[in-house]
Amino acid sequence: MADQLGRFAWYELLTTDVAAAGAFYRKVVGWGVKDESTPELPYTVLRSRGTPLGGLMDIPEEGRRSGATPRWMGYVAVDDLDGTAAQIRRLEGTIFVPPTDTNIGRIAVAADPQKATFGLIEKPTYGRWKPGRLDEPGRVGWHELLAADRTVIFDFYRELFGWQKADAQTDPADWYQLFSAGGQTVGGMLTKFSSVAQPCWLHYFNVDDIGAATKHVNAGGGRILQGPIELPDGCWIARCVDPQGALFALQGARGHAGIEPSSASEVGWSAKWGGIASQGRIVLPKPKR
């Protein structure tokens, strides 16, 4: 557990159709899907090469009534859940679900001061493996915060989890800030486009063949919102939405399925988030993955 402190240690998809979502991600990412429900809570566990990494559950009825929509949420491991929840409040964040005992461990659900939602987990039932390489197939290999203002929000996460700024090999005033947890660069932060209505975390799932995976997204009823795009380090990414409406991203190598190449350093932005389009031009830094 000590190896996971301050890192994303569990991922959960709240959805409107658990069976359909499980079949979709099994085909797109290659995850194993197993029903591990209890009499108190229906719950499906996702596994990568036998290792549990996340879960699927229905959006609670109360959430549906209040307008909750399908979404992925990452849980960061902490050793003092109550203390961390109190610290979030002191840092002007919000606690939506107070520390609670659940089937996956003791958890809380929070939002940063700019309203991006994330989870906390203490003594997890699953996910006790040591951190490995970020490019392992089936793993969640990258974590991206679309912030209201990335130049301001970093200090919140630094004080809360001890995250550090990583060398982006670009001008410090540039648009993308890499961050590290436990000495490993695990994600980046950027100021969201105006078309993105709400700050949020976007999680990237590793695949062997980005072309094949995106074809499975389309065939399975999902949509590709942007990409595939080649990054300067040779990795390809695509931002997507699943059939129930949850945002996620894929990253991986160019395989045999075939994709249209894009510039390695400069791409045209034409993404639709929630049906709202934004267009512009961005220059990609070279991330250390």
Side-chain angles (χ1 to χ4, degrees):
M1 176 61 188
D3 293 316
Q4 288 293 85
L5 291 178
R7 296 171 178 262
F8 285 97
W10 190 251
Y11 306 88
E12 199 167 70
L13 174 62
L14 297 171
T15 186
T16 53
D17 191 331
V18 168
F24 175 81
Y25 287 101
R26 181 170 57 239
K27 194 70 173 176
V28 173
V29 189
W31 288 332
V33 180
K34 184 180 180 183
D35 185 352
E36 297 195 15
S37 300
T38 65
E40 297 78 26
L41 179 69
Y43 201 78
T44 298
V45 173
L46 300 169
R47 284 179 166 80
S48 174
R49 301 186 177 186
T51 301
L53 61 84
L56 305 174
M57 63 180 293
D58 282 308
I59 299 174
E61 188 59 38
E62 181 181 352
R64 295 194 193 205
R65 287 196 299 268
S66 63
T69 57
R71 62 188 171 94
W72 278 97
M73 183 165 62
Y75 288 81
V76 180
V78 298
D79 60 357
D80 179 4
L81 186 61
D82 294 283
T84 304
Q87 187 180 13
I88 287 173
R89 292 187 180 99
R90 288 196 299 270
L91 295 172
E92 300 184 355
T94 304
I95 299 296
F96 292 128
V97 177
T100 304
D101 291 323
T102 73
N103 64 313
I104 62 171
R106 197 156 183 260
I107 69 154
V109 177
D112 66 29
Q114 298 180 7
K115 307 306 180 186
T117 304
F118 61 94
L120 305 169
I121 188 165
E122 178 187 71
K123 298 179 180 177
T125 305
Y126 304 98
R128 297 171 184 267
W129 64 93
K130 293 183 182 244
R133 291 174 49 191
L134 285 175
D135 59 355
E136 291 175 3
R139 178 175 175 158
V140 183
W142 198 249
H143 311 87
E144 196 166 75
L145 176 62
L146 283 72
D149 184 347
R150 69 100 177 155
T151 64
V152 174
I153 199 60
F154 182 84
D155 286 342
F156 170 84
Y157 290 99
R158 177 182 56 79
E159 292 189 42
L160 192 62
F161 300 129
W163 292 351
Q164 299 295 315
K165 292 182 178 181
D167 180 11
Q169 297 185 349
T170 58
D171 188 298
D174 211 342
W175 69 284
Y176 202 82
Q177 176 63 60
L178 303 183
F179 68 89
S180 64
Q184 185 179 42
T185 301
V186 296
M189 299 181 184
L190 70 158
T191 299
K192 70 180 183 65
F193 296 92
S194 60
S195 60
V196 182
Q198 177 75 28
C200 63
W201 280 97
L202 182 64
H203 304 289
Y204 285 68
F205 308 144
N206 294 343
V207 294
D208 288 317
D209 184 333
I210 193 76
T214 52
K215 288 180 180 178
H216 287 313
V217 169
N218 288 324
R223 288 182 295 129
I224 307 300
L225 303 182
Q226 184 194 23
I229 297 167
E230 186 178 14
L231 300 183
D233 63 354
C235 178
W236 290 77
I237 64 170
R239 297 181 175 100
C240 315
V241 62
D242 71 19
Q244 287 73 46
L247 292 172
F248 69 98
L250 300 170
Q251 65 176 17
R254 178 178 182 174
H256 299 293
I259 51 180
E260 291 297 322
S262 300
S263 168
S265 62
E266 202 171 278
V267 299
W269 175 272
S270 180
K272 290 185 179 179
W273 299 92
I276 302 173
S278 66
Q279 294 183 342
R281 180 165 163 258
I282 59 175
V283 178
L284 298 173
K286 183 177 181 179
K288 293 180 178 179
R289 294 181 183 268

